[in-house]
Amino acid sequence: MSDARTPAQIEADIKRRRDQLAETLDEIGVRVHPKTIVGDAKAKVVSSVDNSLGRAYVGANRFVSDVKGRFVAEDGSPRIERIVPVALVAVGLVGLCVVASRRRDS
């Protein structure tokens, strides 16, 4: 089966393929250029940090809301029945720390 193309068609095809190859090589050159690689890496890190910080903020906000919900009623008044035991435990722990500190100093 012989090629039915004319020499002009073959030359045009070669030129078109050469232009496509040059364009592809230019794209590869841009992709592997150090500035492009560094820029892509920075963008990935920033995106990752933004996502991590966003998740951390949501988690911290949820935690604060949960704690607040345990010690503050829906109307905004403090829940004394829950605050007093926690305060007593805190005072007891501080007292134990003071006693232990004094024993070490003696």
Side-chain angles (χ1 to χ4, degrees), residues 46-99:
V46 167
S47 175
S48 176
V49 167
D50 285 348
N51 288 337
S52 297
L53 289 176
R55 284 192 301 270
Y57 175 77
V58 168
N61 196 22
R62 186 177 300 134
F63 175 76
V64 168
S65 294
D66 288 347
V67 170
K68 181 181 176 186
R70 293 173 193 223
F71 295 104
V72 178
E74 289 181 16
D75 64 356
S77 63
R79 292 183 174 180
I80 300 298
E81 71 279 3
R82 292 188 178 175
I83 294 173
V84 170
V86 171
L88 290 174
V89 168
V91 168
L93 288 174
V94 169
L96 286 174
C97 289
V98 169
V99 168

Tab-separated table of all heavy atoms in Angstrom, residues 46-99:
chain	number	residue	atom	x	y	z
A	46	VAL	N	0.470	25.233	51.535
A	46	VAL	CA	-0.483	26.235	52.012
A	46	VAL	C	-1.878	25.643	52.087
A	46	VAL	O	-2.598	25.837	53.072
A	46	VAL	CB	-0.457	27.486	51.106
A	46	VAL	CG1	-1.640	28.391	51.376
A	46	VAL	CG2	0.847	28.248	51.302
A	47	SER	N	-2.249	24.893	51.082
A	47	SER	CA	-3.568	24.267	51.076
A	47	SER	C	-3.703	23.284	52.225
A	47	SER	O	-4.722	23.250	52.918
A	47	SER	CB	-3.802	23.559	49.744
A	47	SER	OG	-5.011	22.857	49.749
A	48	SER	N	-2.666	22.496	52.443
A	48	SER	CA	-2.689	21.512	53.527
A	48	SER	C	-2.777	22.203	54.890
A	48	SER	O	-3.541	21.783	55.763
A	48	SER	CB	-1.438	20.642	53.457
A	48	SER	OG	-1.394	19.741	54.538
A	49	VAL	N	-1.989	23.261	55.078
A	49	VAL	CA	-2.005	23.996	56.347
A	49	VAL	C	-3.373	24.644	56.559
A	49	VAL	O	-3.935	24.591	57.657
A	49	VAL	CB	-0.874	25.057	56.386
A	49	VAL	CG1	-1.063	26.019	57.539
A	49	VAL	CG2	0.472	24.364	56.483
A	50	ASP	N	-3.919	25.246	55.500
A	50	ASP	CA	-5.245	25.861	55.611
A	50	ASP	C	-6.292	24.838	56.021
A	50	ASP	O	-7.124	25.103	56.889
A	50	ASP	CB	-5.656	26.525	54.294
A	50	ASP	CG	-4.934	27.839	54.039
A	50	ASP	OD1	-4.294	28.353	54.979
A	50	ASP	OD2	-5.017	28.343	52.907
A	51	ASN	N	-6.240	23.660	55.394
A	51	ASN	CA	-7.198	22.606	55.748
A	51	ASN	C	-7.007	22.147	57.186
A	51	ASN	O	-7.981	21.948	57.920
A	51	ASN	CB	-7.067	21.419	54.799
A	51	ASN	CG	-7.605	21.715	53.419
A	51	ASN	OD1	-8.431	22.602	53.239
A	51	ASN	ND2	-7.128	20.994	52.434
A	52	SER	N	-5.750	21.980	57.605
A	52	SER	CA	-5.468	21.532	58.973
A	52	SER	C	-5.924	22.570	59.994
A	52	SER	O	-6.528	22.229	61.007
A	52	SER	CB	-3.975	21.260	59.150
A	52	SER	OG	-3.574	20.206	58.307
A	53	LEU	N	-5.620	23.834	59.721
A	53	LEU	CA	-6.036	24.890	60.641
A	53	LEU	C	-7.557	24.995	60.706
A	53	LEU	O	-8.123	25.204	61.779
A	53	LEU	CB	-5.438	26.236	60.227
A	53	LEU	CG	-3.944	26.397	60.446
A	53	LEU	CD1	-3.466	27.732	59.907
A	53	LEU	CD2	-3.594	26.259	61.911
A	54	GLY	N	-8.203	24.830	59.583
A	54	GLY	CA	-9.660	24.869	59.557
A	54	GLY	C	-10.262	23.760	60.394
A	54	GLY	O	-11.185	23.984	61.180
A	55	ARG	N	-9.716	22.546	60.247
A	55	ARG	CA	-10.214	21.416	61.048
A	55	ARG	C	-9.921	21.631	62.527
A	55	ARG	O	-10.747	21.322	63.390
A	55	ARG	CB	-9.583	20.111	60.559
A	55	ARG	CG	-10.184	19.610	59.262
A	55	ARG	CD	-9.761	18.182	58.962
A	55	ARG	NE	-8.328	18.014	58.844
A	55	ARG	CZ	-7.642	18.134	57.720
A	55	ARG	NH1	-8.252	18.433	56.604
A	55	ARG	NH2	-6.340	17.955	57.705
A	56	ALA	N	-8.740	22.169	62.841
A	56	ALA	CA	-8.394	22.428	64.241
A	56	ALA	C	-9.333	23.476	64.835
A	56	ALA	O	-9.783	23.334	65.978
A	56	ALA	CB	-6.939	22.899	64.342
A	57	TYR	N	-9.628	24.517	64.069
A	57	TYR	CA	-10.536	25.559	64.564
A	57	TYR	C	-11.920	24.984	64.828
A	57	TYR	O	-12.519	25.259	65.869
A	57	TYR	CB	-10.622	26.705	63.553
A	57	TYR	CG	-11.632	27.756	63.947
A	57	TYR	CD1	-11.333	28.685	64.929
A	57	TYR	CD2	-12.895	27.785	63.369
A	57	TYR	CE1	-12.251	29.642	65.321
A	57	TYR	CE2	-13.828	28.733	63.748
A	57	TYR	CZ	-13.498	29.661	64.726
A	57	TYR	OH	-14.425	30.591	65.104
A	58	VAL	N	-12.419	24.189	63.899
A	58	VAL	CA	-13.746	23.589	64.079
A	58	VAL	C	-13.746	22.677	65.303
A	58	VAL	O	-14.673	22.714	66.111
A	58	VAL	CB	-14.168	22.815	62.810
A	58	VAL	CG1	-15.389	21.951	63.068
A	58	VAL	CG2	-14.432	23.780	61.670
A	59	GLY	N	-12.687	21.889	65.466
A	59	GLY	CA	-12.592	21.009	66.627
A	59	GLY	C	-12.532	21.776	67.936
A	59	GLY	O	-13.215	21.430	68.906
A	60	ALA	N	-11.721	22.829	67.968
A	60	ALA	CA	-11.610	23.635	69.189
A	60	ALA	C	-12.927	24.341	69.487
A	60	ALA	O	-13.359	24.403	70.653
A	60	ALA	CB	-10.489	24.662	69.033
A	61	ASN	N	-13.568	24.849	68.457
A	61	ASN	CA	-14.846	25.523	68.648
A	61	ASN	C	-15.898	24.548	69.186
A	61	ASN	O	-16.674	24.893	70.083
A	61	ASN	CB	-15.307	26.134	67.322
A	61	ASN	CG	-16.407	27.153	67.503
A	61	ASN	OD1	-16.571	27.701	68.577
A	61	ASN	ND2	-17.153	27.400	66.457
A	62	ARG	N	-15.914	23.348	68.657
A	62	ARG	CA	-16.851	22.323	69.135
A	62	ARG	C	-16.564	21.979	70.602
A	62	ARG	O	-17.476	21.854	71.404
A	62	ARG	CB	-16.745	21.071	68.265
A	62	ARG	CG	-17.768	20.012	68.604
A	62	ARG	CD	-17.694	18.813	67.677
A	62	ARG	NE	-17.921	19.225	66.304
A	62	ARG	CZ	-17.178	18.828	65.276
A	62	ARG	NH1	-16.164	18.011	65.466
A	62	ARG	NH2	-17.448	19.238	64.058
A	63	PHE	N	-15.263	21.855	70.953
A	63	PHE	CA	-14.887	21.532	72.323
A	63	PHE	C	-15.339	22.633	73.286
A	63	PHE	O	-15.922	22.366	74.339
A	63	PHE	CB	-13.369	21.333	72.428
A	63	PHE	CG	-12.885	21.109	73.831
A	63	PHE	CD1	-13.062	19.891	74.445
A	63	PHE	CD2	-12.254	22.129	74.532
A	63	PHE	CE1	-12.618	19.680	75.743
A	63	PHE	CE2	-11.813	21.932	75.822
A	63	PHE	CZ	-11.990	20.699	76.430
A	64	VAL	N	-15.082	23.890	72.912
A	64	VAL	CA	-15.477	25.017	73.767
A	64	VAL	C	-16.995	25.050	73.920
A	64	VAL	O	-17.519	25.266	75.020
A	64	VAL	CB	-14.950	26.354	73.190
A	64	VAL	CG1	-15.578	27.548	73.888
A	64	VAL	CG2	-13.431	26.407	73.318
A	65	SER	N	-17.706	24.808	72.834
A	65	SER	CA	-19.173	24.798	72.911
A	65	SER	C	-19.668	23.681	73.814
A	65	SER	O	-20.617	23.864	74.587
A	65	SER	CB	-19.777	24.643	71.517
A	65	SER	OG	-19.493	25.762	70.728
A	66	ASP	N	-19.041	22.514	73.728
A	66	ASP	CA	-19.433	21.391	74.591
A	66	ASP	C	-19.190	21.721	76.065
A	66	ASP	O	-20.041	21.459	76.920
A	66	ASP	CB	-18.662	20.125	74.217
A	66	ASP	CG	-19.116	19.528	72.894
A	66	ASP	OD1	-20.186	19.939	72.393
A	66	ASP	OD2	-18.396	18.659	72.362
A	67	VAL	N	-18.009	22.281	76.359
A	67	VAL	CA	-17.697	22.641	77.751
A	67	VAL	C	-18.661	23.714	78.240
A	67	VAL	O	-19.196	23.622	79.357
A	67	VAL	CB	-16.227	23.108	77.873
A	67	VAL	CG1	-15.961	23.708	79.239
A	67	VAL	CG2	-15.284	21.942	77.601
A	68	LYS	N	-18.883	24.703	77.421
A	68	LYS	CA	-19.814	25.765	77.806
A	68	LYS	C	-21.202	25.193	78.052
A	68	LYS	O	-21.876	25.573	79.016
A	68	LYS	CB	-19.875	26.836	76.719
A	68	LYS	CG	-20.790	27.991	77.051
A	68	LYS	CD	-20.827	29.000	75.917
A	68	LYS	CE	-21.827	30.096	76.248
A	68	LYS	NZ	-22.003	31.018	75.135
A	69	GLY	N	-21.631	24.269	77.211
A	69	GLY	CA	-22.944	23.647	77.371
A	69	GLY	C	-23.079	22.887	78.672
A	69	GLY	O	-24.177	22.752	79.212
A	70	ARG	N	-21.977	22.388	79.193
A	70	ARG	CA	-22.021	21.643	80.459
A	70	ARG	C	-22.117	22.565	81.673
A	70	ARG	O	-22.608	22.157	82.717
A	70	ARG	CB	-20.791	20.754	80.580
A	70	ARG	CG	-20.794	19.644	79.557
A	70	ARG	CD	-19.513	18.869	79.572
A	70	ARG	NE	-19.463	18.042	78.374
A	70	ARG	CZ	-19.064	16.799	78.384
A	70	ARG	NH1	-18.655	16.249	79.490
A	70	ARG	NH2	-19.048	16.120	77.269
A	71	PHE	N	-21.602	23.780	81.539
A	71	PHE	CA	-21.554	24.670	82.704
A	71	PHE	C	-22.478	25.883	82.603
A	71	PHE	O	-22.593	26.641	83.552
A	71	PHE	CB	-20.114	25.148	82.941
A	71	PHE	CG	-19.200	24.021	83.315
A	71	PHE	CD1	-18.303	23.497	82.401
A	71	PHE	CD2	-19.263	23.462	84.582
A	71	PHE	CE1	-17.470	22.446	82.745
A	71	PHE	CE2	-18.432	22.413	84.920
A	71	PHE	CZ	-17.536	21.892	83.998
A	72	VAL	N	-23.104	26.075	81.433
A	72	VAL	CA	-24.004	27.216	81.243
A	72	VAL	C	-25.312	26.686	80.656
A	72	VAL	O	-25.310	25.938	79.683
A	72	VAL	CB	-23.383	28.259	80.287
A	72	VAL	CG1	-24.335	29.413	80.045
A	72	VAL	CG2	-22.065	28.770	80.852
A	73	ALA	N	-26.427	27.070	81.258
A	73	ALA	CA	-27.736	26.642	80.770
A	73	ALA	C	-28.058	27.358	79.462
A	73	ALA	O	-27.395	28.339	79.085
A	73	ALA	CB	-28.808	26.937	81.814
A	74	GLU	N	-29.081	26.896	78.765
A	74	GLU	CA	-29.459	27.489	77.489
A	74	GLU	C	-29.848	28.960	77.616
A	74	GLU	O	-29.666	29.738	76.690
A	74	GLU	CB	-30.611	26.702	76.862
A	74	GLU	CG	-30.180	25.338	76.364
A	74	GLU	CD	-31.318	24.565	75.728
A	74	GLU	OE1	-32.356	25.181	75.405
A	74	GLU	OE2	-31.166	23.359	75.551
A	75	ASP	N	-30.373	29.344	78.785
A	75	ASP	CA	-30.753	30.748	78.981
A	75	ASP	C	-29.558	31.623	79.366
A	75	ASP	O	-29.702	32.828	79.575
A	75	ASP	CB	-31.871	30.864	80.024
A	75	ASP	CG	-31.436	30.406	81.418
A	75	ASP	OD1	-30.282	29.932	81.560
A	75	ASP	OD2	-32.241	30.525	82.354
A	76	GLY	N	-28.361	31.022	79.483
A	76	GLY	CA	-27.159	31.783	79.797
A	76	GLY	C	-26.786	31.791	81.269
A	76	GLY	O	-25.750	32.311	81.648
A	77	SER	N	-27.638	31.212	82.105
A	77	SER	CA	-27.339	31.194	83.541
A	77	SER	C	-26.365	30.058	83.852
A	77	SER	O	-26.381	29.011	83.213
A	77	SER	CB	-28.636	31.008	84.337
A	77	SER	OG	-29.222	29.755	84.025
A	78	PRO	N	-25.497	30.265	84.859
A	78	PRO	CA	-24.531	29.224	85.219
A	78	PRO	C	-25.230	28.026	85.878
A	78	PRO	O	-26.215	28.179	86.589
A	78	PRO	CB	-23.588	29.923	86.197
A	78	PRO	CG	-24.365	31.077	86.718
A	78	PRO	CD	-25.338	31.466	85.665
A	79	ARG	N	-24.718	26.844	85.619
A	79	ARG	CA	-25.243	25.628	86.237
A	79	ARG	C	-24.414	25.357	87.501
A	79	ARG	O	-23.380	24.702	87.468
A	79	ARG	CB	-25.136	24.454	85.277
A	79	ARG	CG	-26.042	24.576	84.090
A	79	ARG	CD	-25.939	23.348	83.226
A	79	ARG	NE	-26.931	23.412	82.164
A	79	ARG	CZ	-27.093	22.495	81.256
A	79	ARG	NH1	-26.311	21.422	81.261
A	79	ARG	NH2	-28.015	22.611	80.347
A	80	ILE	N	-24.884	25.878	88.593
A	80	ILE	CA	-24.175	25.803	89.877
A	80	ILE	C	-23.924	24.351	90.268
A	80	ILE	O	-22.844	24.023	90.783
A	80	ILE	CB	-24.978	26.536	90.986
A	80	ILE	CG1	-25.172	28.016	90.605
A	80	ILE	CG2	-24.308	26.402	92.339
A	80	ILE	CD1	-23.891	28.787	90.463
A	81	GLU	N	-24.897	23.473	90.017
A	81	GLU	CA	-24.761	22.071	90.409
A	81	GLU	C	-23.585	21.387	89.705
A	81	GLU	O	-23.083	20.371	90.171
A	81	GLU	CB	-26.062	21.301	90.152
A	81	GLU	CG	-26.410	21.049	88.697
A	81	GLU	CD	-27.076	22.211	87.980
A	81	GLU	OE1	-27.255	23.299	88.559
A	81	GLU	OE2	-27.398	22.027	86.798
A	82	ARG	N	-23.107	21.948	88.601
A	82	ARG	CA	-21.950	21.382	87.901
A	82	ARG	C	-20.676	22.178	88.175
A	82	ARG	O	-19.580	21.629	88.137
A	82	ARG	CB	-22.218	21.338	86.396
A	82	ARG	CG	-23.310	20.345	86.044
A	82	ARG	CD	-23.433	20.164	84.580
A	82	ARG	NE	-24.456	19.168	84.272
A	82	ARG	CZ	-24.848	18.864	83.071
A	82	ARG	NH1	-24.298	19.464	82.038
A	82	ARG	NH2	-25.774	17.953	82.870
A	83	ILE	N	-20.816	23.457	88.442
A	83	ILE	CA	-19.640	24.305	88.660
A	83	ILE	C	-19.016	24.041	90.026
A	83	ILE	O	-17.788	23.962	90.156
A	83	ILE	CB	-20.014	25.798	88.492
A	83	ILE	CG1	-20.414	26.068	87.043
A	83	ILE	CG2	-18.872	26.699	88.925
A	83	ILE	CD1	-20.948	27.459	86.796
A	84	VAL	N	-19.845	23.901	91.057
A	84	VAL	CA	-19.328	23.737	92.423
A	84	VAL	C	-18.449	22.493	92.557
A	84	VAL	O	-17.326	22.589	93.093
A	84	VAL	CB	-20.496	23.746	93.446
A	84	VAL	CG1	-20.003	23.337	94.826
A	84	VAL	CG2	-21.142	25.122	93.487
A	85	PRO	N	-18.862	21.314	92.092
A	85	PRO	CA	-17.973	20.149	92.235
A	85	PRO	C	-16.633	20.334	91.516
A	85	PRO	O	-15.584	19.943	92.044
A	85	PRO	CB	-18.775	19.000	91.609
A	85	PRO	CG	-20.197	19.421	91.674
A	85	PRO	CD	-20.169	20.917	91.552
A	86	VAL	N	-16.658	20.936	90.339
A	86	VAL	CA	-15.405	21.147	89.604
A	86	VAL	C	-14.520	22.136	90.355
A	86	VAL	O	-13.304	21.940	90.465
A	86	VAL	CB	-15.696	21.641	88.163
A	86	VAL	CG1	-14.419	22.066	87.459
A	86	VAL	CG2	-16.412	20.561	87.367
A	87	ALA	N	-15.105	23.168	90.889
A	87	ALA	CA	-14.334	24.150	91.662
A	87	ALA	C	-13.734	23.508	92.908
A	87	ALA	O	-12.576	23.782	93.259
A	87	ALA	CB	-15.220	25.328	92.034
A	88	LEU	N	-14.500	22.652	93.595
A	88	LEU	CA	-13.980	21.976	94.785
A	88	LEU	C	-12.808	21.060	94.441
A	88	LEU	O	-11.800	21.013	95.174
A	88	LEU	CB	-15.095	21.194	95.480
A	88	LEU	CG	-16.180	22.044	96.164
A	88	LEU	CD1	-17.296	21.146	96.691
A	88	LEU	CD2	-15.579	22.875	97.282
A	89	VAL	N	-12.914	20.349	93.325
A	89	VAL	CA	-11.807	19.474	92.893
A	89	VAL	C	-10.582	20.324	92.570
A	89	VAL	O	-9.457	19.984	92.966
A	89	VAL	CB	-12.230	18.622	91.681
A	89	VAL	CG1	-11.028	17.945	91.051
A	89	VAL	CG2	-13.275	17.588	92.099
A	90	ALA	N	-10.778	21.465	91.903
A	90	ALA	CA	-9.652	22.333	91.567
A	90	ALA	C	-8.981	22.879	92.819
A	90	ALA	O	-7.749	22.886	92.933
A	90	ALA	CB	-10.136	23.481	90.670
A	91	VAL	N	-9.776	23.307	93.781
A	91	VAL	CA	-9.216	23.821	95.039
A	91	VAL	C	-8.467	22.708	95.763
A	91	VAL	O	-7.377	22.929	96.311
A	91	VAL	CB	-10.340	24.414	95.930
A	91	VAL	CG1	-9.841	24.691	97.342
A	91	VAL	CG2	-10.884	25.698	95.297
A	92	GLY	N	-9.026	21.504	95.748
A	92	GLY	CA	-8.356	20.366	96.396
A	92	GLY	C	-7.019	20.058	95.748
A	92	GLY	O	-6.026	19.795	96.435
A	93	LEU	N	-6.970	20.096	94.403
A	93	LEU	CA	-5.704	19.834	93.709
A	93	LEU	C	-4.669	20.911	94.006
A	93	LEU	O	-3.487	20.605	94.215
A	93	LEU	CB	-5.944	19.734	92.204
A	93	LEU	CG	-6.678	18.477	91.726
A	93	LEU	CD1	-6.984	18.588	90.238
A	93	LEU	CD2	-5.853	17.236	92.009
A	94	VAL	N	-5.093	22.158	94.049
A	94	VAL	CA	-4.166	23.243	94.385
A	94	VAL	C	-3.652	23.058	95.801
A	94	VAL	O	-2.461	23.214	96.078
A	94	VAL	CB	-4.842	24.623	94.204
A	94	VAL	CG1	-3.985	25.732	94.797
A	94	VAL	CG2	-5.117	24.891	92.728
A	95	GLY	N	-4.546	22.677	96.709
A	95	GLY	CA	-4.135	22.436	98.097
A	95	GLY	C	-3.120	21.314	98.184
A	95	GLY	O	-2.130	21.412	98.922
A	96	LEU	N	-3.341	20.227	97.476
A	96	LEU	CA	-2.381	19.112	97.473
A	96	LEU	C	-1.028	19.549	96.927
A	96	LEU	O	0.022	19.147	97.451
A	96	LEU	CB	-2.927	17.946	96.653
A	96	LEU	CG	-4.046	17.138	97.290
A	96	LEU	CD1	-4.581	16.116	96.296
A	96	LEU	CD2	-3.550	16.442	98.547
A	97	CYS	N	-1.042	20.366	95.890
A	97	CYS	CA	0.218	20.859	95.320
A	97	CYS	C	0.968	21.723	96.326
A	97	CYS	O	2.194	21.629	96.452
A	97	CYS	CB	-0.053	21.652	94.038
A	97	CYS	SG	-0.568	20.627	92.655
A	98	VAL	N	0.242	22.563	97.063
A	98	VAL	CA	0.872	23.426	98.068
A	98	VAL	C	1.481	22.582	99.174
A	98	VAL	O	2.623	22.798	99.599
A	98	VAL	CB	-0.156	24.440	98.621
A	98	VAL	CG1	0.392	25.155	99.858
A	98	VAL	CG2	-0.536	25.445	97.546
A	99	VAL	N	0.737	21.588	99.667
A	99	VAL	CA	1.228	20.725	100.732
A	99	VAL	C	2.471	19.960	100.258
A	99	VAL	O	3.466	19.865	100.984
A	99	VAL	CB	0.110	19.757	101.208
A	99	VAL	CG1	0.674	18.676	102.106
A	99	VAL	CG2	-0.995	20.535	101.922
